[in-house]
Amino acid sequence: MTHVTLRSEFEDLIDPYAPVGQVGTGFDFTEGPIWHPLEHFLLFSDMPGDVRRRWDARRGVVEVRRPSNKCNGMTYDADLNLIVCEHATSSLIRERPDGRREVLASHYDNQELNSPNDVCVHSSGAIYFSDPWYGRMPVYGVERPRQLGFQGVYRVPSGGGAPQLLVDRYLFEQPNGLCFSPDERILYVNDTVQALIRAFDVTADGALANPRVFASGIRSELEPGLPDGMKCDQRGNVWVTAPGGVWVYSPAGNLLGKVRLPELVANLAWGGPDFRTLYLTATHSVYAIPTKVGPRHEPYMSGKPGGAGAASSTAVPNLATGEMRIDPQRCAMIIQDMQNDVIMDGGAFADSGAPAHARRQHVVENVRRVAEAARARGVAIIHVWFVVEPGAPGVTLNAPLFEGLVDSKAMVRGSWGAAPVSGLEPRPGDFVVEKMRMSAWEGTRLETILKATGRDMIINTGAWTNMSVEHTARTGADKGYFMIVPEDCCSTMNADWHNAAINFALQNVSVVTNADTVIKALG
């Protein structure tokens, strides 16, 4: 089956001829897929059959719960407790591995919820869910009168408590799939009846603001399918069930392409050992398709039972045997100060020798190669730029570096000098962090991004080796991050300064390696 490319970017996400494999069939109506990151199995629900099943490559499909209270959407929290939307009980449930069952939400304003449908977990631990009334219909739920007169989207605070209504009561007809953008600044919620996706800004207190239509007209007179399940990939693209399979939208709302399946698709989730297999619950069957891109990093993906979600069971990189392995889901890549004023001829610091050393190091090409490989494997890419306003307000003249920056009128916002060098511009899904100090950590949102995306390994690249790169590595090591410095992805004013940092200071706070080794280690 050939998938449909509408924009060239689609083929960076999935091969247009990617095979559609059937992992199980013969079900009534499948929903709610979720992959266990440690035990490597897929859970999915069959609402009309009132059963929950699991699939793994060794045992195939087995039944794990009957009755299942006609469960629908499922996910895990950071401690790998299962979060379940139950149609029959109108409840959002937490199931712990030891069998304990906790009701997270069942009522709003003393009225029963309609039927929690889909759910996602914020890095803060707060749980967001949609509440259409499909679970009060025959077949997909238990037919009974509705108590609420509207269909909402809710948030359960990280510490528990009553669900908080986040949207206008009458904004949605049937809110359904929902997902966060990679940086959790946006929550997407679709409406099956209205055939559209809305986007909301997520405020500091977890509320939603600035509602707007992200995509509309997700319907067809020629084939069945409407918005239902929805996920965001690591680059910020939105994958939503739709006529013929799954439609993929860019972060700007452009329709990039369509993933084609032989049955009506209800939901989707990434899984597999590297989270590069897209599992799709499609009416009577469950399908699997290989992708080139992975999901946005959910809190459960680096979780372990009963423990802190930021921890992982994967070993840290090790070069003692000449081999290194890096878990892409735990890793971020920093591309720091790769700006025209810093390393290019014609830049404010060109007389320092920095452009010549950057060329000898092939630093732009090496960083680009590592970044391409890292993106393809799900590594978070973070561009760190030194940017000042005209006149450099706020820059203290307490060090020669800052004095030179102000005197040279360098790194001014909007200027050619502050722009990233050609070939290292941010791609969709990348993060950009601005600073006014040498270290990437000082006064920036770098650590917020790392914690939100569950990253504790950092590939540290950029300019200058003995300044920004070294300062960032030292602080990162002190904070408990595992720092990796590919030396041919760094440059400074001359080889002597570069070698001094690489051979002495950076050896004590990081693994020093090279671009080819990092690319191989990412798998």
Side-chain angles (χ1 to χ4, degrees):
M1 178 172 289
T2 304
H3 310 298
V4 180
T5 300
L6 299 177
R7 295 188 179 226
S8 60
E9 302 98 293
F10 182 70
E11 296 188 11
D12 294 331
L13 309 177
I14 185 171
D15 189 310
Y17 300 99
V20 178
Q22 189 181 71
V23 302
T25 192
F27 315 120
D28 291 329
F29 187 87
T30 59
E31 251 286 7
I34 186 66
W35 182 263
H36 197 288
L38 299 183
E39 298 182 24
H40 301 299
F41 61 79
L42 183 79
L43 281 184
F44 62 97
S45 56
D46 185 342
M47 287 181 293
D50 200 14
V51 62
R52 183 186 308 159
R53 295 183 172 91
R54 61 173 275 174
W55 172 88
D56 62 61
R58 183 175 62 87
R59 295 196 298 167
V61 176
V62 297
E63 188 175 300
V64 293
R65 183 179 291 272
R66 183 192 292 265
S68 67
N69 291 327
K70 297 209 169 185
C71 67
N72 192 340
M74 296 184 286
T75 190
Y76 293 106
D77 63 20
D79 293 335
L80 295 182
N81 302 301
L82 187 66
I83 309 298
V84 185
C85 296
E86 292 187 349
H87 279 188
T89 66
S90 296
S91 300
L92 184 71
I93 301 297
R94 176 184 281 127
E95 293 182 7
R96 300 190 183 275
D98 62 7
R100 285 180 294 157
R101 173 185 166 91
E102 175 188 358
V103 177
L104 299 174
S106 61
H107 290 72
Y108 178 76
D109 274 355
N110 296 316
Q111 302 293 310
E112 273 190 349
L113 295 170
N114 296 308
S115 55
N117 187 282
D118 206 357
V119 60
C120 59
V121 178
H122 189 271
S123 61
S124 67
I127 300 171
Y128 292 67
F129 68 96
S130 59
D131 187 45
W133 64 277
Y134 291 120
R136 292 175 180 262
M137 297 180 182
V139 180
Y140 301 105
V142 177
E143 189 172 10
R144 60 208 191 276
R146 285 178 279 167
Q147 296 187 12
L148 289 175
F150 62 92
Q151 290 70 243
V153 177
Y154 298 87
R155 173 182 182 270
V156 177
S158 58
Q164 303 164 348
L165 180 64
L166 299 175
V167 299
D168 182 272
R169 291 182 177 220
Y170 304 108
L171 181 62
F172 290 97
E173 289 189 58
Q174 293 284 27
N176 201 324
L178 71 173
C179 59
F180 287 105
S181 62
D183 61 4
E184 297 184 327
R185 292 185 173 187
I186 300 172
L187 180 72
Y188 298 99
V189 185
N190 67 47
D191 190 309
T192 302
V193 174
Q194 296 175 3
L196 55 73
I197 303 170
R198 285 190 169 87
F200 301 83
D201 295 334
V202 182
T203 64
D205 62 357
L208 301 183
N210 188 25
R212 64 267 188 197
V213 173
F214 171 77
S216 61
I218 310 174
R219 55 163 54 97
S220 171
E221 296 180 356
L222 302 178
E223 53 190 346
L226 285 166
D228 193 337
M230 186 166 61
K231 295 292 187 292
C232 201
D233 70 27
Q234 67 197 71
R235 302 181 189 178
N237 303 297
V238 176
W239 301 55
V240 61
T241 65
V246 173
W247 293 8
V248 184
Y249 290 87
S250 75
N254 299 314
L255 182 58
L256 302 180
K258 302 178 181 181
V259 180
R260 306 287 295 176
L261 272 86
E263 296 183 65
L264 175 69
V265 181
N267 213 330
L268 65 156
W270 272 277
D274 58 356
F275 281 96
R276 287 298 182 283
T277 301
L278 188 64
Y279 290 94
L280 304 108
T281 48
T283 311
H284 305 302
S285 307
V286 177
Y287 293 92
I289 303 176
T291 60
K292 299 178 182 179
V293 70
R296 91 139 187 135
H297 189 88
E298 304 275 352
Y300 78 87
M301 292 177 183
S302 54
K304 63 181 182 179
S312 172
S313 61
T314 305
V316 298
N318 189 336
L319 280 180
T321 62
E323 292 287 330
M324 179 164 65
R325 293 289 179 266
I326 300 172
D327 180 354
Q329 298 298 320
R330 295 177 57 192
C331 189
M333 178 181 179
I334 292 176
I335 303 174
Q336 185 165 198
D337 295 358
M338 297 299 283
Q339 297 161 264
N340 291 320
D341 269 345
V342 180
I343 64 167
M344 295 300 292
D345 288 318
F349 301 116
D351 291 343
S352 68
H357 189 250
R359 287 193 295 271
R360 284 196 295 273
Q361 287 286 100
H362 302 289
V363 68
V364 175
E365 175 60 17
N366 288 334
V367 171
R368 187 197 64 77
R369 289 194 301 118
V370 173
E372 287 294 325
R375 282 191 191 94
R377 291 158 177 81
V379 173
I381 307 297
I382 305 173
H383 303 261
V384 180
W385 296 339
F386 202 123
V387 180
V388 301
E389 307 300 332
V395 177
T396 55
L397 304 181
N398 61 312
L401 177 70
F402 303 133
E403 292 177 354
L405 179 137
V406 173
D407 291 342
S408 301
K409 297 182 173 59
M411 320 301 280
V412 176
R413 185 184 303 280
S415 69
W416 172 84
V421 300
S422 179
L424 295 182
E425 299 88 352
R427 302 283 185 85
D430 291 0
F431 299 90
V432 175
V433 170
E434 294 184 359
K435 62 171 188 172
M436 289 199 302
R437 298 280 95 183
M438 275 187 279
S439 171
W441 304 94
E442 186 63 31
T444 76
R445 64 190 187 103
L446 173 61
E447 194 159 22
T448 299
I449 293 170
L450 294 170
K451 289 186 179 300
T453 56
R455 312 295 166 135
D456 61 359
M457 299 179 182
I458 298 174
I459 302 169
N460 187 23
T461 73
W464 289 321
T465 318
N466 59 313
M467 295 188 189
S468 295
V469 174
E470 183 177 319
H471 278 247
T472 298
R474 287 177 181 274
T475 303
D478 280 343
K479 287 177 173 288
Y481 291 86
F482 198 95
M483 306 301 297
I484 303 163
V485 178
E487 73 86 19
D488 53 354
C489 293
C490 308
S491 68
T492 183
M493 286 96 155
N494 56 64
D496 288 343
W497 284 19
H498 175 82
N499 292 334
I502 289 294
N503 294 330
F504 295 97
L506 286 168
Q507 294 284 343
N508 292 317
V509 293
S510 61
V511 166
V512 176
T513 181
N514 57 51
D516 289 338
T517 300
V518 168
I519 291 170
K520 181 180 178 182
L522 287 168

